[in-house]
Amino acid sequence: SRFETCWPALMKDSHGVIIIFNPELPSHLKEIEMWYSCFVQQQPLLDSQCLLVAHHKPGSAGDTENLSLAYPLNKLKLIHSNLEEDPEDVRMEFIKYFRSIITIINETREREEMSIIS
């Protein structure tokens, strides 16, 4: 894509990646594999540092709720967002995700400090 030259700057020192996609578009399902490969695997980040958000537009077909993604995407935390029906659920999932990222950052910092000391 025309933004690829910006990717290294976006990735630099990033601690987490949230990929939001429309589960009703087959093209999006292919694209998220590419985003995962570029932004998570090549960094490398842990799978726990990546959150997939299947965003359902108002009035969209609900049968994509039981979305089954292929490996390696099926290892990632997947949440469904439907802001009409359950915005609170989405908010809670985001808070949980951010807490887990903060925990990872703190653990990494402690390990680095210990390695400097020892």
Side-chain angles (χ1 to χ4, degrees):
S1 97
R2 61 202 162 118
F3 296 117
E4 274 180 56
T5 49
C6 307
W7 289 1
L10 286 173
M11 290 188 222
K12 185 173 163 35
D13 301 330
S14 64
H15 295 290
V17 174
I18 298 173
I19 300 173
I20 301 171
F21 65 100
N22 182 343
E24 291 174 42
L25 293 180
S27 62
H28 273 205
L29 299 179
K30 285 257 49 91
E31 278 174 37
I32 54 178
E33 287 179 27
M34 187 260 312
W35 292 112
Y36 171 74
S37 167
C38 293
F39 281 85
V40 181
Q41 288 180 311
Q42 289 174 30
Q43 287 221 65
L45 292 176
L46 301 169
D47 285 339
S48 57
Q49 287 167 280
C50 182
L51 178 66
L52 289 181
V53 182
H55 184 62
H56 301 267
K57 290 182 175 168
S60 63
D63 57 356
T64 46
E65 283 286 337
N66 22 4
L67 187 66
S68 58
L69 296 171
Y71 181 87
L73 298 173
N74 60 4
K75 301 182 298 169
L76 304 173
K77 171 95 176 128
L78 168 68
I79 66 169
H80 290 270
S81 79
N82 183 328
L83 299 179
E84 274 192 327
E85 286 173 28
D86 49 12
E88 194 52 34
D89 274 12
V90 177
R91 205 171 73 84
M92 291 312 298
E93 289 293 351
F94 269 102
I95 290 169
K96 267 195 284 191
Y97 170 70
F98 288 125
R99 282 200 185 124
S100 72
I101 295 293
I102 290 165
T103 303
I104 290 168
I105 294 169
N106 289 339
E107 285 170 356
T108 306
R109 191 172 295 143
E110 280 169 23
R111 269 200 307 274
E112 284 168 359
E113 285 168 3
M114 290 310 290
S115 67
I116 293 166
I117 293 166
S118 54

